[in-house]
Amino acid sequence: MDPSVQFRKSKAQCLGKADLSRRGSVDEDVKEIVQLLNSRDQFFTTSSCSGRILLIDRGASGFEVQKQNCCWLLVTHKPCVKDDVMVALEKAAGDAILKFEPFILHVQCRQLQDAQLLHSVAIDSGFRNSGITVGKRGKTMLAVRSTHGLEVPLSHKGQLMVTEEYIDFLLNIANQKMEENKKRIEREESPPFTDQLEGIRTGARGPGCEPSEGT
């Protein structure tokens, strides 16, 4: 099958299926950028998260976090307060871990050149951990992401290992990261970013839109 035809078929299938995320819909803070990308012939989004603070219970088998094998005690896409965490910690029976996960967006691209151009725009917006992968059959994916995450164990076998003051300190850091995360998303939704996307659609290249040599 012609690659362009296959891409259009994959895009229609992806955008037409039900959203199986926990939320069941695109996060409000990234809805605009998701809609913008999906309106372009060269792209479609396969998953996204605007950024979140979460508390998970990993059980008593160690601190390695595997989301599919843990209990979610608290999840919020907004700034978090200590009281909410302390209440959630009462449910922990194993290893409770506080995390901040920054914005992430997965985009399938029609061609490698399209991915390179979008990658350049993402880097300019502050998402410096973004990267491109190309599958054996030519499937081209761009992951837009940054590096300012946070992951700290709070309890072990149900026993709190840190003070409330330290939890308050961690939440201040996590909330600051959330604010910075929001600013980076807003940069992606600002005219410089949208103008460059328009350039990708028309085949023009504005300043900073030259393809990168790598991911």
Side-chain angles (χ1 to χ4, degrees):
M1 182 182 295
D2 180 86
S4 295
V5 174
Q6 180 61 54
F7 180 83
R8 289 196 297 269
K9 181 179 178 181
S10 297
K11 180 172 183 176
Q13 290 176 340
C14 181
L15 299 184
K17 66 183 181 182
D19 189 326
L20 300 179
S21 65
R22 286 173 177 265
R23 182 182 176 90
S25 62
V26 176
D27 294 340
E28 193 65 34
D29 286 345
V30 296
K31 186 175 292 185
E32 182 177 344
I33 187 62
V34 167
Q35 291 175 342
L36 178 62
L37 286 166
N38 288 333
S39 71
R40 298 295 186 259
D41 293 339
Q42 296 94 327
F43 311 110
F44 66 91
T45 60
T46 60
S47 65
S48 63
C49 178
S50 64
R52 60 192 176 187
I53 297 171
L54 62 158
L55 183 68
I56 58 177
D57 188 0
R58 180 66 178 86
S61 57
F63 288 120
E64 182 182 356
V65 177
Q66 298 178 357
K67 295 175 189 174
Q68 63 271 27
N69 297 323
C70 66
C71 176
W72 296 51
L73 303 176
L74 174 69
V75 182
T76 178
H77 294 81
K78 304 296 181 182
C80 188
V81 297
K82 183 185 69 175
D83 289 347
D84 291 340
V85 173
M86 298 309 298
V87 170
L89 278 170
E90 295 176 1
K91 308 172 189 175
D95 298 341
I97 300 169
L98 179 70
K99 300 186 70 180
F100 168 71
E101 295 180 341
F103 165 72
I104 186 167
L105 177 67
H106 292 102
V107 185
Q108 187 166 338
C109 307
R110 187 172 60 186
Q111 297 178 346
L112 178 58
Q113 183 183 28
D114 299 323
Q116 290 173 324
L117 291 170
L118 188 56
H119 177 262
S120 177
V121 175
I123 295 296
D124 289 344
S125 297
F127 298 99
R128 302 192 179 279
N129 199 33
S130 300
I132 300 169
T133 58
V134 180
K136 292 181 179 179
R137 297 183 180 180
K139 179 180 177 180
T140 304
M141 296 294 302
L142 170 67
V144 180
R145 59 199 174 200
S146 61
T147 58
H148 63 299
L150 178 71
E151 180 175 329
V152 183
L154 300 183
S155 71
H156 181 54
K157 296 182 179 180
Q159 180 179 353
L160 188 63
M161 305 299 290
V162 298
T163 64
E164 289 191 29
E165 288 77 12
Y166 186 64
I167 292 174
D168 195 38
F169 169 74
L170 290 176
L171 286 175
N172 283 332
I173 295 176
N175 289 334
Q176 289 173 10
K177 288 178 178 290
M178 181 73 81
E179 182 62 29
E180 172 59 26
N181 183 74
K182 186 174 182 180
K183 290 178 181 178
R184 295 185 187 189
I185 293 174
E186 289 172 348
R187 284 202 292 271
E188 279 213 318
E189 295 175 341
S190 64
F193 179 87
T194 55
D195 289 349
Q196 291 185 66
L197 268 187
E198 182 65 21
I200 293 173
R201 185 181 70 83
T202 60
R205 292 179 184 172
C209 274
E210 289 301 315
S212 60
E213 295 180 355
T215 60

